[in-house]
Coordinates of all heavy atoms in Angstrom, one line a residue:
V7 N -0.6 17.9 -2.2 CA -0.7 19.2 -1.6 C -1.3 20.2 -2.6 O -0.8 20.4 -3.7 CB 0.8 19.7 -1.3 CG1 0.7 21.1 -0.6 CG2 1.5 18.7 -0.4
A8 N -2.5 20.8 -2.2 CA -3.2 21.7 -3.1 C -2.7 23.1 -3.0 O -1.9 23.4 -2.1 CB -4.7 21.6 -2.7
Y9 N -3.0 23.9 -4.0 CA -2.8 25.3 -3.9 C -3.5 25.9 -2.7 O -4.7 25.6 -2.5 CB -3.2 26.0 -5.2 CG -3.0 27.5 -5.2 CD1 -1.8 28.1 -5.0 CD2 -4.1 28.4 -5.4 CE1 -1.6 29.5 -5.0 CE2 -4.0 29.7 -5.4 CZ -2.7 30.3 -5.2 OH -2.6 31.6 -5.2
P10 N -2.9 26.6 -1.8 CA -3.5 27.0 -0.5 C -4.8 27.8 -0.7 O -5.7 27.7 0.2 CB -2.4 27.8 0.2 CG -1.1 27.5 -0.5 CD -1.5 27.1 -1.9
L11 N -5.0 28.5 -1.7 CA -6.1 29.5 -1.8 C -7.2 29.0 -2.6 O -8.2 29.7 -2.9 CB -5.6 30.8 -2.3 CG -4.5 31.5 -1.5 CD1 -4.1 32.8 -2.1 CD2 -5.0 31.7 0.0
A12 N -7.2 27.7 -3.1 CA -8.2 27.2 -4.0 C -8.7 25.9 -3.3 O -8.1 24.9 -3.4 CB -7.7 26.9 -5.4
P13 N -9.9 25.9 -2.7 CA -10.5 24.7 -2.1 C -10.8 23.6 -3.1 O -11.1 23.9 -4.2 CB -11.7 25.2 -1.4 CG -12.1 26.5 -2.1 CD -10.8 27.1 -2.6
L14 N -10.8 22.4 -2.6 CA -11.1 21.2 -3.4 C -12.6 20.9 -3.1 O -13.1 21.0 -2.0 CB -10.3 20.0 -3.0 CG -8.7 20.3 -3.1 CD1 -8.0 19.0 -2.6 CD2 -8.3 20.6 -4.5
G15 N -13.2 20.4 -4.1 CA -14.6 20.0 -3.9 C -15.3 19.8 -5.3 O -14.7 20.0 -6.3
P16 N -16.6 19.4 -5.2 CA -17.3 19.2 -6.5 C -17.4 20.4 -7.4 O -17.6 20.3 -8.6 CB -18.7 18.7 -6.1 CG -18.7 18.8 -4.6 CD -17.4 19.1 -4.1
D17 N -17.4 21.6 -6.8 CA -17.5 22.9 -7.5 C -16.2 23.5 -7.9 O -16.2 24.6 -8.5 CB -18.3 23.9 -6.7 CG -19.7 23.4 -6.4 OD1 -20.2 22.5 -7.2 OD2 -20.3 23.9 -5.4
A18 N -15.1 22.8 -7.7 CA -13.8 23.3 -8.1 C -13.7 23.6 -9.6 O -14.1 22.8 -10.4 CB -12.7 22.4 -7.7
V19 N -13.2 24.8 -9.9 CA -13.1 25.1 -11.3 C -11.7 25.0 -11.9 O -11.5 25.0 -13.1 CB -13.7 26.5 -11.6 CG1 -15.1 26.6 -11.2 CG2 -12.9 27.6 -10.8
G20 N -10.7 25.1 -11.1 CA -9.3 25.0 -11.6 C -8.9 23.6 -12.0 O -9.3 22.6 -11.4
G21 N -8.1 23.6 -13.1 CA -7.6 22.3 -13.6 C -6.8 21.6 -12.5 O -6.9 20.3 -12.4
A22 N -5.9 22.3 -11.8 CA -5.1 21.6 -10.8 C -5.9 21.0 -9.7 O -5.7 19.9 -9.3 CB -4.1 22.7 -10.2
E23 N -7.0 21.7 -9.3 CA -7.8 21.1 -8.2 C -8.6 19.9 -8.7 O -8.8 18.9 -8.0 CB -8.8 22.2 -7.8 CG -8.2 23.3 -7.0 CD -7.3 24.3 -7.8 OE1 -7.8 24.7 -8.9 OE2 -6.1 24.5 -7.4
Q24 N -9.1 20.0 -10.0 CA -9.8 18.8 -10.5 C -8.9 17.6 -10.7 O -9.3 16.5 -10.4 CB -10.5 19.2 -11.8 CG -11.6 20.3 -11.7 CD -12.2 20.6 -13.0 OE1 -12.8 19.7 -13.6 NE2 -12.2 21.9 -13.4
V25 N -7.7 17.8 -11.1 CA -6.7 16.7 -11.3 C -6.4 16.1 -9.9 O -6.4 14.9 -9.7 CB -5.5 17.1 -12.0 CG1 -4.4 16.1 -11.9 CG2 -5.8 17.5 -13.4
L26 N -6.2 16.9 -8.9 CA -5.9 16.5 -7.6 C -7.0 15.6 -7.0 O -6.8 14.6 -6.4 CB -5.6 17.6 -6.6 CG -4.9 17.3 -5.3 CD1 -4.2 18.5 -4.7 CD2 -5.9 16.8 -4.3
A27 N -8.3 16.1 -7.2 CA -9.4 15.4 -6.7 C -9.5 14.0 -7.4 O -9.9 13.0 -6.8 CB -10.7 16.2 -6.9

Side-chain angles (χ1 to χ4, degrees):
V7 182
Y9 177 57
L11 302 177
L14 307 176
D17 297 337
V19 295
E23 290 71 47
Q24 293 182 58
V25 169
L26 195 161

